[in-house]
C-alpha cells in the first residue's frame, strides 16, 4: 500500500498548484490595483484585474478539452506529467511579466495546466483506490487544493508578486520529479490490453500478490465499456449515464454557485469594505486557515457518515452563511447603522468556508471519480469541468461588476438562493456511494434505470478458465458480471 499512498501524494502536488493559482489573486490583485509593489512593473485597473482572474478559467476550459483526448491516448500518468510543463511556464511568466498582457497570457497558460491536471488526477486517483479508502484519497485532492489556496493567502501579503511566483514554482517542479516513479492506472493498462502490466501495477499499489480477483473485475468492466463505445448522444439516451451526468452537473453548479469563487478570489477586497478593526489581509489568512482545518476534518468523516448527508448539511449551512454576508451589506446599502454588527460578514464568510469545506468542496470530486464507467469517464469529466469553468468564469468576471453596480449584497443573495435549491435537489436525486466498488455503483445506476434491457446485444469478452487459460466468448451484454445479480 506504500506505493498507493506515494502515488496519491505525488498526484496531489498537481492539485497544490491548482489551489495556488486560484489563491494567488486574493493577495496579489489588491497590490497590483493599489500599486503597493514598487519592484513589480505591472499596474492594473479594476477591469484589468477581473480579466487576470477570469482568464485562468478560460484557460482551464481549454485544458479540459485537451485532457479528454490526452488521458486515454497517452495515459493518466503521462497526462499529469505533461500538465506540469504549462504550470511551470505560467509561474515564470507571472514572475517576469512587464505588462498586463503578459499577465493575461500567464494566467491563460496556468489555466491550461489546471484544466489538464484536475480531470486527470480525479480519474487516476479514483481508478487506483480500493473502495474502502477511495473517499479519503479523492477528498484529499480538495484538501491539497485548499492548502494551496491558504498558502497563497498566508505568504502572499509578505512577499512581492515576483517572489510569490518563485515560491509557488516549487510544486509543479516537485510533481515532475516524483510522478515519474508512480505506476500507471490498472484501468488504463487494461484499456491497452496490457493485462500483465495491469496486474503488476495492482501488486505495486496494493502491496500484495493476491490481486487476480480484482484484476479480473477490472478487466471485465473495461472490456464491457470498450465494447459499448459511448458518444455524447448515448450519454444522454442511456438512462444510467444520463442520471450520472445530471447528478454531476447539478453538484458542479451548486458547488460553484454557492459563492466559493467570489469568497476565495476576492476575499481581501470584500473584507476591506466591512469596516472591521482587523485588516482584510489578516481576515483572509484566518479564512484560509479555517478552510484548511475544515477540509481536513472532512477526511475523517467522509467514509463514515456517507456522501449524501454531508452534502445536504454542507449546502444548507453554506446558504445560511452567505445569507449572513448578504444581510450585512443589505443593511449597509439601506443606510442602516451597522457599527454593532461589523463582525457579521467576517463570521459569515468563515462559517461559509467551514460548511462548504465539509461537504460541497470535496464530495463532488469524490463522486465524479465514482459515477462514470471507464468508457465515458474522460468525456463526462470534460463536460463537467467545462460546465464548472463556464460558471467560474461568469462568477469571477461578473462579481465585481454586479457588486459595483448593485451592491455586494446582490451576488450573495444569489449564492444563497442557489445553495438552497441545490440542497433540495440532493435530497431527492443524489445516491449514496459510500463503501461501494466502482462496479457496484455502475450496477445500481444502470440497473435502476433499466439498462439491462437496453444492452441485449453481443459482447466479446475474455473469460479466464479455472486452469488459468483464457478464451474469447460471445456473451450477452446483460450477462456481464457487474450488470447482473450473477
Amino acid at each position: 500500500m506504500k506505493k498507493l499512498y506515494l502515488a496519491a501524494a505525488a498526484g496531489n502536488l498537481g492539485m497544490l498548484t491548482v489551489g495556488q493559482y486560484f489563491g494567488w489573486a486574493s493577495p496579489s490583485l489588491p497590490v497590483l490595483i493599489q500599486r503597493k509593489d514598487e519592484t513589480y512593473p505591472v499596474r492594473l485597473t479594476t477591469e484589468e484585474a477581473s480579466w487576470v482572474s477570469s482568464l485562468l478559467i478560460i484557460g482551464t476550459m481549454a485544458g479540459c478539452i485537451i485532457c479528454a483526448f490526452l488521458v486515454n491516448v497517452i495515459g493518466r500518468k503521462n497526462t499529469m506529467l505533461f500538465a506540469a510543463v504549462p504550470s511551470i511556464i505560467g509561474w515564470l511568466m507571472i514572475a517576469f511579466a512587464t505588462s498586463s498582457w503578459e499577465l493575461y497570457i500567464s494566467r491563460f497558460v496556468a489555466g491550461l495546466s489546471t484544466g489538464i491536471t484536475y480531470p486527470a488526477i480525479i480519474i487516476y486517483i479514483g481508478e487506483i483506490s480500493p473502495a474502502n479508502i477511495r473517499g479519503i484519497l479523492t477528498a484529499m485532492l480538495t484538501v491539497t487544493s485548499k492548502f494551496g489556496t491558504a498558502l497563497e493567502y498566508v505568504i502572499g501579503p509578505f512577499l512581492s508578486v515576483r517572489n510569490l511566483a518563485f515560491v509557488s514554482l516549487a510544486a509543479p517542479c516537485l510533481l515532475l520529479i516524483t510522478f515519474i516513479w508512480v505506476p500507471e492506472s490498472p484501468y488504463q493498462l487494461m484499456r491497452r490490453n496490457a493485462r500483465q502490466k495491469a496486474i503488476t501495477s495492482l501488486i505495486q499499489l496494493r502491496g500484495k500478490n493476491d490481486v487476480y480477483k480484482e484484476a479480473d473485475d477490472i478487466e471485465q468492466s473495461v472490456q464491457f465499456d470498450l465494447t459499448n463505445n459511448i458518444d455524447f448522444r448515448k450519454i444522454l439516451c442511456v438512462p444510467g449515464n444520463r442520471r450520472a451526468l445530471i447528478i454531476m452537473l447539478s453538484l458542479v453548479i451548486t458547488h460553484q454557485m454557492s459563492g466559493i469563487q467570489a469568497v476565495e478570489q476576492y476575499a481581501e477586497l470584500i473584507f476591506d469594505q466591512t469596516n472591521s478593526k482587523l485588516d482584510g489581509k489578516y481576515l483572509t489568512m484566518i479564512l484560509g486557515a479555517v478552510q484548511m482545518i475544515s477540509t481536513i476534518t472532512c477526511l475523517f468523516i467522509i467514509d463514515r457518515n456517507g456522501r449524501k448527508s454531508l452534502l445536504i448539511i454542507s449546502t444548507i449551512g453554506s446558504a445560511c452563511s452567505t445569507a449572513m454576508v448578504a444581510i450585512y451589506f443589505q443593511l449597509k446599502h439601506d443606510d442602516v447603522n451597522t457599527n454593532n454588527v461589523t463582525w457579521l460578514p467576517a463570521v459569515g464568510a468563515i462559517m461559509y468556508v467551514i460548511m462548504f469545506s465539509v461537504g460541497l468542496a470535496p464530495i463532488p470530486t469524490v463522486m465524479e471519480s465514482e459515477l462514470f464507467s471507464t468508457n465515458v469517464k474522460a468525456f463526462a469529466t470534460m463536460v463537467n469541468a467545462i460546465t464548472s469553468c463556464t460558471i467560474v468564469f461568469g462568477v469571477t468576471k461578473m462579481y465585481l461588476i454586479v457588486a459595483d453596480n448593485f451592491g455586494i449584497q446582490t451576488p450573495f443573495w444569489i449564492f444563497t438562493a442557489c445553495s438552497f435549491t441545490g440542497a433540495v435537489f440532493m435530497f431527492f436525486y443524489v445516491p449514496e456511494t459510500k463503501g461501494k466498488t466502482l462496479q457496484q455503483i455502475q450496477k445500481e445506476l444502470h440497473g435502476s434505470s433499466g439498462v439491462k434491457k437496453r444492452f441485449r446485444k453481443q459482447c466479446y469478452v475474455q473469460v479466464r478458465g479455472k486452469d488459468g487459460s483464457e478464451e474469447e466468448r460471445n456473451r450477452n451484454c446483460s450477462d456481464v458480471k457487474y450488470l447482473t445479480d450473477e
Side-chain angles (χ1 to χ4, degrees):
M1 293 288 279
K2 290 182 180 179
K3 205 77 171 183
L4 172 66
Y5 293 116
L6 173 62
N12 272 276
L13 288 169
M15 290 301 291
L16 178 67
T17 297
V18 170
Q20 287 178 303
Y21 273 127
F22 279 102
W24 175 88
S26 184
S28 299
L29 291 185
V31 172
L32 298 176
I33 293 172
Q34 299 167 17
R35 304 187 177 186
K36 295 179 180 178
D37 187 354
E38 296 181 358
T39 65
Y40 198 70
V42 182
R43 302 290 181 265
L44 299 177
T45 64
T46 301
E47 175 68 16
E48 289 172 334
S50 70
W51 277 112
V52 169
S53 289
S54 54
L55 277 167
L56 176 73
I57 312 305
I58 296 178
T60 302
M61 294 172 66
C64 292
I65 297 172
I66 295 172
C67 180
F69 293 98
L70 287 182
V71 76
N72 286 332
V73 175
I74 67 174
R76 283 65 161 142
K77 173 182 174 178
N78 289 333
T79 300
M80 284 295 297
L81 292 171
F82 175 81
V85 176
S87 179
I88 293 171
I89 293 172
W91 285 122
L92 289 174
M93 290 187 69
I94 290 174
F96 294 108
T98 57
S99 67
S100 59
W101 282 101
E102 291 176 28
L103 268 186
Y104 293 164
I105 296 171
S106 70
R107 293 286 281 176
F108 179 82
V109 172
L112 287 177
S113 173
T114 299
I116 298 171
T117 299
Y118 184 77
I121 194 59
I122 289 175
I123 294 172
Y124 180 76
I125 297 297
E127 290 180 348
I128 68 171
S129 305
N132 62 321
I133 59 171
R134 189 176 57 246
I136 293 176
L137 292 183
T138 48
M140 191 64 195
L141 298 174
T142 303
V143 173
T144 308
S145 175
K146 299 307 177 186
F147 177 75
T149 301
L151 189 63
E152 298 293 298
Y153 288 171
V154 172
I155 67 176
F158 303 104
L159 294 176
S160 67
V161 175
R162 179 173 288 111
N163 289 338
L164 179 60
F166 283 137
V167 171
S168 303
L169 185 62
C173 292
L174 286 173
L175 173 65
L176 273 178
I177 296 170
T178 58
F179 213 72
I180 294 175
W181 306 103
V182 305
E184 177 61 277
S185 159
Y187 281 81
Q188 173 65 17
L189 294 170
M190 287 293 189
R191 284 179 59 89
R192 297 175 177 172
N193 294 318
R195 176 182 170 85
Q196 189 54 51
K197 290 183 179 180
I199 291 173
T200 302
S201 174
L202 279 172
I203 291 173
Q204 291 177 333
L205 291 167
R206 301 293 180 260
K208 60 181 182 179
N209 293 323
D210 186 18
V211 297
Y212 291 97
K213 176 63 170 61
E214 184 176 1
D216 288 341
D217 290 341
I218 292 173
E219 184 177 29
Q220 194 174 57
S221 173
V222 169
Q223 289 292 340
F224 176 82
D225 291 338
L226 292 177
T227 305
N228 296 279
N229 292 322
I230 296 292
D231 56 26
F232 187 69
R233 180 181 60 83
K234 290 182 180 179
I235 290 178
L236 296 179
C237 293
V238 176
N241 295 328
R242 184 172 64 243
R243 185 185 179 199
L245 188 63
I246 291 172
I247 291 168
M248 274 314 309
L249 289 178
S250 300
L251 291 180
V252 163
I253 292 170
T254 305
H255 174 101
Q256 298 298 349
M257 287 304 297
S258 70
I260 186 60
Q261 293 304 318
V263 172
E264 282 190 349
Q265 299 212 40
Y266 300 114
E268 192 167 328
L269 292 175
I270 293 171
F271 289 141
D272 284 340
Q273 298 181 55
T274 62
N275 298 323
S276 174
K277 294 180 180 179
L278 197 61
D279 287 348
K281 64 182 179 182
Y282 296 116
L283 286 171
T284 303
M285 292 178 197
I286 295 172
L287 189 75
V290 170
Q291 188 176 45
M292 265 299 302
I293 295 170
S294 303
T295 310
I296 292 172
T297 301
C298 183
L299 291 178
F300 298 99
I301 59 178
I302 192 170
D303 277 328
R304 295 182 181 180
N305 299 324
R307 326 289 201 234
K308 185 172 181 176
S309 58
L310 280 177
L311 272 173
I312 295 172
I313 293 170
S314 172
T315 307
I316 293 175
S318 296
C320 295
S321 303
T322 51
M324 293 172 64
V325 180
I327 288 171
Y328 172 83
F329 285 107
Q330 185 69 57
L331 293 174
K332 193 173 179 181
H333 180 266
D334 295 338
D335 296 323
V336 176
N337 189 343
T338 58
N339 290 336
N340 294 326
V341 289
T342 55
W343 51 269
L344 191 61
V347 172
I350 291 172
M351 285 299 300
Y352 169 75
V353 298
I354 292 174
M355 299 309 301
F356 179 84
S357 298
V358 298
L360 266 179
I363 293 179
T365 302
V366 174
M367 296 192 73
E368 188 170 356
S369 72
E370 297 174 330
L371 290 177
F372 298 108
S373 56
T374 304
N375 61 332
V376 72
K377 189 173 290 186
F379 186 82
T381 303
M382 179 192 73
V383 172
N384 288 330
I386 290 176
T387 302
S388 177
C389 291
T390 302
I391 299 170
V392 171
F393 175 78
V395 173
T396 305
K397 188 72 178 71
M398 295 302 297
Y399 172 79
L400 287 179
I401 297 173
V402 173
D404 288 344
N405 288 278
F406 302 101
I408 295 179
Q409 76 280 359
T410 303
F412 277 92
W413 282 127
I414 295 172
F415 299 149
T416 301
C418 290
S419 294
F420 274 124
T421 304
V424 173
F425 173 85
M426 293 169 192
F427 181 80
F428 288 105
Y429 205 71
V430 174
E432 180 58 73
T433 60
K434 184 191 79 167
K436 299 174 183 176
T437 66
L438 299 182
Q439 289 77 27
Q440 289 172 333
I441 294 169
Q442 288 305 303
K443 179 180 177 180
E444 291 184 13
L445 281 172
H446 292 283
S448 64
S449 57
V451 77
K452 287 184 278 188
K453 295 180 180 179
R454 285 183 168 269
F455 284 145
R456 300 290 184 183
K457 63 181 182 180
Q458 297 302 311
C459 294
Y460 291 90
V461 296
Q462 290 292 123
V463 179
R464 190 176 180 84
K466 293 182 179 179
D467 60 353
S469 62
E470 294 183 0
E471 63 175 326
E472 189 178 73
R473 292 184 187 173
N474 185 308
R475 303 180 66 190
N476 189 292
C477 287
S478 63
D479 292 334
V480 175
K481 186 176 181 180
Y482 78 90
L483 287 181
T484 70
D485 296 327
E486 298 176 6

